[in-house]
Amino acid sequence: MSSLNFSGLTSDEARAVQGAISRGENFHGYIPAASLAFIVRNYRELAALGALEAPWLDAYVHASHFNAHGVSVLKAVFDACDRNRLRSLKPLGDDAIGGRLTLFRGCAGPVHSWGMSWTSSLDKAIWYAAHHAEFYDLSNIAVYVATVATEDVYCRLDHYDDDFIAYAQSAWRIDVPSGEFRLDRPR
């Protein structure tokens, strides 16, 4: 545990995180605002300690922006996780029966990233695109679709919405009429 980088944490926070790790507990609650950055700095060491999956899922689901890290870093952290442990914490559910999933992602802004969070609901993807456009004052709104093998899905988050965590190798833009991009969509 001495190889962990505790920069950015107070000494009390560092002690709390060390204690949680030594007890086999999820440390996210001790450093909720700093958890994402701490994990990104230390994910390889945390994986070796068997202390990565639960705090990573909490940090990921509560983060609002990943621009500082990029999708390659997010994927690297998910790849360092034990997929069986991820799926025991957040199972795929009945939608994953059959070997392949059709997933959607709503995007807005000058550059569209596939990201790691996808939804099985076209309505929800349209809402996300409209939400990002409204909240961040962005244009260039779009929805993408991908088909993903279930073995390539890391887990299914269900905290705020129902999100499948996957890295789609390819996706394509679907034609959604501009009037459909609105926040009052049925959810």
Side-chain angles (χ1 to χ4, degrees), residues 12-29:
D12 287 344
E13 289 171 331
R15 276 192 297 280
V17 168
Q18 287 175 320
I21 291 171
S22 67
R23 293 186 301 273
E25 296 175 2
N26 180 343
F27 60 80
H28 171 77

Side-chain angles (χ1 to χ4, degrees), residues 41-59:
R41 280 193 310 274
N42 293 290
Y43 70 90
R44 289 179 189 92
E45 294 82 3
L46 292 167
L49 292 168
L52 177 59
E53 292 77 12
W56 174 241
L57 290 176
D58 283 345

Side-chain angles (χ1 to χ4, degrees), residues 28-180:
H28 171 77
Y30 294 102
I31 55 167
S35 184
L36 182 75
F38 175 78
I39 293 169
V40 166
R41 280 193 310 274
N42 293 290
Y43 70 90
R44 289 179 189 92
E45 294 82 3
L46 292 167
L49 292 168
L52 177 59
E53 292 77 12
W56 174 241
L57 290 176
D58 283 345
Y60 182 88
V61 79
H62 293 293
S64 61
H65 251 299
F66 299 105
N67 291 351
H69 305 293
V71 70
S72 62
V73 170
L74 300 177
K75 183 178 182 314
V77 177
F78 274 110
D79 285 342
C81 290
D82 178 308
R83 194 164 307 199
N84 291 327
R85 190 173 296 157
L86 286 176
R87 288 186 178 182
S88 72
L89 293 166
K90 296 294 181 182
L92 297 184
D94 293 338
D95 287 348
I97 296 171
R100 295 192 66 71
L101 289 167
T102 299
L103 301 175
F104 302 92
R105 183 171 174 83
C107 296
V111 177
H112 296 167
S113 167
W114 295 156
M116 299 292 294
S117 295
W118 294 77
T119 179
S120 59
S121 166
L122 176 57
D123 272 328
K124 192 53 144 175
I126 294 169
W127 182 89
Y128 269 120
H131 172 74
H132 291 310
E134 177 75 22
F135 190 76
Y136 298 108
D137 193 26
L138 299 170
S139 58
N140 191 22
I141 304 169
V143 172
Y144 294 87
V145 63
T147 55
V148 179
T150 53
E151 65 262 15
D152 292 335
V153 177
Y154 294 91
C155 61
R156 181 182 193 167
L157 300 179
D158 58 359
H159 186 78
Y160 294 112
D161 290 309
D162 200 29
D163 292 324
F164 288 92
I165 304 302
Y167 182 78
Q169 296 296 319
S170 64
W172 57 97
R173 189 175 184 148
I174 59 175
D175 188 19
V176 177
S178 61
E180 292 298 315

